[in-house]
Amino acid sequence: MYYVSTRNKEDRRTAAQAIAQGLAADGGLMTPEVFPKLSQNALETMRDMSYQQRAVYVMGSFLDDFTSSELSAFASRAYGPDKFDVKAVAPVRDVDGNTYCLELWHGPTCAFKDMALQMLPHLLSAALVKNQEEKTVCILVATSGDTGKAALEGFKDVEKTRILVFYPKDGVSAIQQLQMVTQEGENVGVCSVVGNFDDAQTGVKRLFADPALREQLAGRGFFLSSANSINWGRVLPQIVYYISAYCDLMRDGKLQKGEALNVCVPTGNFGNILAAYYAKTMGVPIGKLICASNSNNVLTDFLRTGVYDRNRTFYNTMSPSMDILISSNLERLLFALTGHDDAEVRDYMAQLNQDGRYEVSPVLRDKLGKLFAAGYCDDTRTQQVIGRMWNEHKYLIDPHTAVAFEVLDQYRKETGDASPALVASTASPFKFCDSVLGALGVTELEQGTAILEQLSARTGVAAPAPLAGLKDKSVRFAQNVEKDHMVDQVLELLK
Ligand SMILES: *Cc1c(COP(=O)(O)O)cnc(C)c1O
């Protein structure tokens, strides 16, 4: 199977090349040329498999240059009991008999990024061997919180890789900072940057674009790469959990063979919901794809009107991983729905780049409307939903997940569509203790890691071990640099 750029379908690569490359040379995203189809039989075959086996089964159909024994080894390392605190890896919780919640935060950093970032490093390091790359890859990340920690845990001690994460000194929560500065592993580096997320991100972009640095690193046997969510190696592992959830619901008698399941996803960069769309394309009986946003509702407007317009106010919300105005992975959806019309995609992306706006063709708008529904939810409502879920179902959810529950509710009321639905739950509530405690009516908040115990005491729910254990970890990385000095950190790590 070959992978092509969304901006030039003549640019064909193997899976190993697509994963090693990340972004295509023309700025497009590497995407499968054709999607393998699952038969109904395949779902039944997978029904009694473990999560790891399902991952091998699904990923194998996309990665024909990887052997199934390679993939098995990766899956058991990525999703083993030392990494995930439940055997099911991505368990499905029955909320009310017709609404199910797919918990994607049982991994080492307690956010759904782990589902892909536990797998990507294995795919990448094997891809480098297949491509006969002799140099060691160094992953550079600028993070606003979740991605940096998940990437560090994923790449920790993976052969032939190094990773360096920059976070804004004043832009992450106390818990997120502690998660990063206590990071273990011999091949990792973490450094804070004076300023906000934009300063860190601009600094990283400048490092990637610095030819003198590249040359110097090549001399030392290194090259730079990124682990952001446009890499195919991050999208693919996400398809697995939608298929897995459907299998679980069949196995447990909650869905009949072939029964439609709507899926509602709290969305930022469009990677997670895109994976659900791909699962549907492959033949999983998924009904509507419901895209949930916070007050940064650029996707709600797009899916309803066909006009994408990023020229609008940016809000900092209590669901920060969805505070995004350019959803990069949407480009892959446009490529799919135009029937791989790379010229049309190029045109939309050029308009987005130039004017921050584009309008899709009427044909495309109709397709979007058939497949997707969309809605959004502000912070006040988000906290009400957290409170209501706790009071009615004794189910503690984080603000991102709450946005999705609210938008699913709106969708059901507006359309009368009462099909069973699956909500993707993307973070542990313990990552956002302050907003969650606020939603439960607590006004005096503890500082530092004590806030974890405060939320546990209030609810009787135990904090996940990786967060509870933070208070005993020692700080390994205390460096703080001006953004013009980030290069020194790279040269120091890659001596
Ligand atoms: C990254 C993230 C999202 C958004 O996912 P996308 O794939 O970017 O749409 C939602 N919730 C949480 C907690 C996240 O970390």
Side-chain angles (χ1 to χ4, degrees):
M1 177 195 286
Y2 285 95
Y3 289 75
V4 294
S5 164
T6 48
R7 299 188 195 177
N8 174 13
K9 60 189 178 199
E10 307 305 318
D11 181 8
R12 296 168 88 226
R13 308 281 159 158
T14 64
Q17 287 169 333
I19 289 166
Q21 203 174 9
L23 203 64
D26 56 23
L29 311 189
M30 301 308 291
T31 302
E33 203 172 31
V34 285
F35 273 81
K37 294 271 185 257
L38 291 170
S39 60
Q40 186 66 26
N41 234 357
L43 290 175
E44 283 181 346
T45 310
M46 273 187 281
R47 197 171 58 179
D48 300 312
M49 288 184 180
S50 67
Y51 189 86
Q52 291 84 341
Q53 289 168 325
R54 290 170 183 168
V56 174
Y57 191 102
V58 174
M59 292 187 12
S61 61
F62 288 91
L63 303 175
D64 48 17
D65 42 350
F66 290 68
T67 66
S68 86
S69 70
E70 272 180 307
L71 295 178
S72 298
F74 302 163
S76 54
R77 267 181 261 160
Y79 303 122
D82 53 330
K83 306 282 190 174
F84 281 74
D85 65 9
V86 287
K87 193 160 166 277
V89 180
V92 178
R93 175 175 167 133
D94 185 341
V95 179
D96 65 9
N98 196 43
T99 310
Y100 306 96
C101 191
L102 173 58
E103 295 181 349
L104 300 171
W105 41 261
H106 288 277
T109 79
C110 310
F112 100 96
K113 304 286 191 292
D114 288 330
M115 300 304 301
L117 279 165
Q118 282 298 313
M119 177 57 75
L120 174 70
H122 301 296
L123 295 174
L124 181 60
S125 78
L128 296 177
V129 174
K130 290 177 200 300
N131 300 342
Q132 297 177 325
E133 175 62 63
E134 275 160 15
K135 293 198 273 305
T136 295
V137 63
C138 177
I139 304 293
L140 293 185
V141 182
T143 184
S144 56
D146 288 343
T147 304
K149 177 62 184 179
L152 285 163
E153 272 301 314
F155 280 94
K156 170 180 83 179
D157 295 329
V158 172
E159 251 176 78
K160 298 274 279 177
T161 72
R162 301 285 177 92
I163 176 163
L164 179 55
V165 169
F166 292 100
Y167 68 91
K169 181 86 188 126
D170 308 312
V172 301
S173 76
I175 299 280
Q176 285 174 322
Q177 177 169 7
L178 254 186
Q179 279 187 297
M180 290 189 277
V181 298
T182 57
Q183 177 65 44
E184 291 159 3
E186 293 308 310
N187 62 337
V188 306
V190 175
C191 181
S192 67
V193 179
V194 179
N196 59 25
F197 174 61
D198 273 339
D199 295 311
Q201 182 154 45
T202 313
V204 164
K205 282 191 180 154
R206 214 185 300 151
L207 295 174
F208 278 118
D210 181 346
L213 176 65
R214 277 181 188 261
E215 198 171 319
Q216 196 174 0
L217 293 181
R220 297 181 185 184
F222 293 101
F223 73 102
L224 300 178
S225 184
S226 100
N228 64 23
S229 74
I230 53 179
N231 191 308
W232 178 251
R234 277 191 63 180
V235 178
L236 177 57
Q238 301 185 160
I239 300 174
V240 176
Y241 50 72
Y242 288 107
I243 299 177
S244 176
Y246 197 93
C247 291
D248 279 359
L249 289 167
M250 272 184 10
R251 182 197 59 204
D252 299 344
K254 311 236 155 128
L255 285 180
Q256 300 310 310
K257 187 173 170 174
E259 188 176 354
L261 175 69
N262 291 338
V263 172
C264 183
V265 185
T267 298
N269 216 9
F270 211 78
N272 198 357
I273 194 166
L274 178 77
Y277 165 76
Y278 285 150
K280 180 177 164 81
T281 303
M282 291 173 74
V284 181
I286 290 174
K288 272 282 192 234
L289 297 155
I290 304 164
C291 176
S293 301
N294 61 26
S295 294
N296 296 295
N297 56 2
V298 60
L299 285 168
T300 312
D301 290 345
F302 173 67
L303 293 169
R304 288 184 176 172
T305 66
V307 177
Y308 195 98
D309 191 351
R310 65 154 302 188
N311 304 302
R312 60 179 69 215
T313 311
F314 175 86
Y315 299 99
N316 285 304
T317 73
M318 64 174 63
S319 44
S321 298
M322 296 152 71
D323 292 345
I324 248 177
L325 292 179
I326 295 200
S327 299
S328 320
N329 265 305
L330 192 57
E331 182 168 344
R332 285 195 169 104
L333 182 70
L334 298 175
F335 188 63
L337 297 187
T338 55
H340 293 193
D341 188 334
D342 49 4
E344 189 173 337
V345 173
R346 264 200 317 272
D347 187 38
Y348 295 143
M349 292 303 119
Q351 289 179 50
L352 181 63
N353 198 20
Q354 204 179 329
D355 311 322
R357 182 185 189 282
Y358 61 90
E359 177 165 9
V360 297
S361 71
V363 177
L364 200 50
R365 195 189 54 217
D366 289 349
K367 286 189 185 167
L368 288 170
K370 287 206 178 76
L371 287 161
F372 289 87
Y376 70 97
C377 167
D378 67 16
D379 278 355
T380 311
R381 191 81 193 117
T382 302
Q383 279 195 310
Q384 287 168 356
V385 174
I386 296 172
R388 184 168 56 77
M389 287 299 283
W390 177 248
N391 293 330
E392 287 178 11
H393 301 288
K394 283 289 165 284
Y395 192 26
L396 198 60
I397 56 171
D398 98 290
H400 302 78
T401 308
V403 166
F405 271 105
E406 165 64 15
V407 170
L408 172 62
D409 228 33
Q410 291 171 10
Y411 168 80
R412 283 176 162 167
K413 287 197 181 112
E414 275 165 30
T415 62
D417 177 355
S419 312
L422 182 75
V423 169
S425 177
T426 50
S428 159
F430 285 88
K431 275 201 113 162
F432 301 94
C433 292
D434 43 356
S435 305
V436 174
L437 280 163
L440 302 182
V442 178
T443 48
E444 306 238 329
L445 301 181
E446 301 286 348
Q447 296 294 304
T449 52
I451 201 166
L452 296 164
E453 287 144 39
Q454 191 181 14
L455 182 55
S456 281
R458 170 70 178 76
T459 58
V461 178
L467 298 181
L470 279 175
K471 63 179 192 311
D472 307 318
K473 292 250 155 107
S474 45
V475 171
R476 290 185 67 202
F477 302 101
Q479 298 89 335
N480 177 233
V481 295
E482 298 284 341
K483 73 169 182 261
D484 296 335
H485 292 279
M486 287 163 68
V487 64
D488 304 337
Q489 294 296 316
V490 179
L491 293 170
E492 175 67 24
L493 181 76
L494 305 182
K495 273 199 291 228

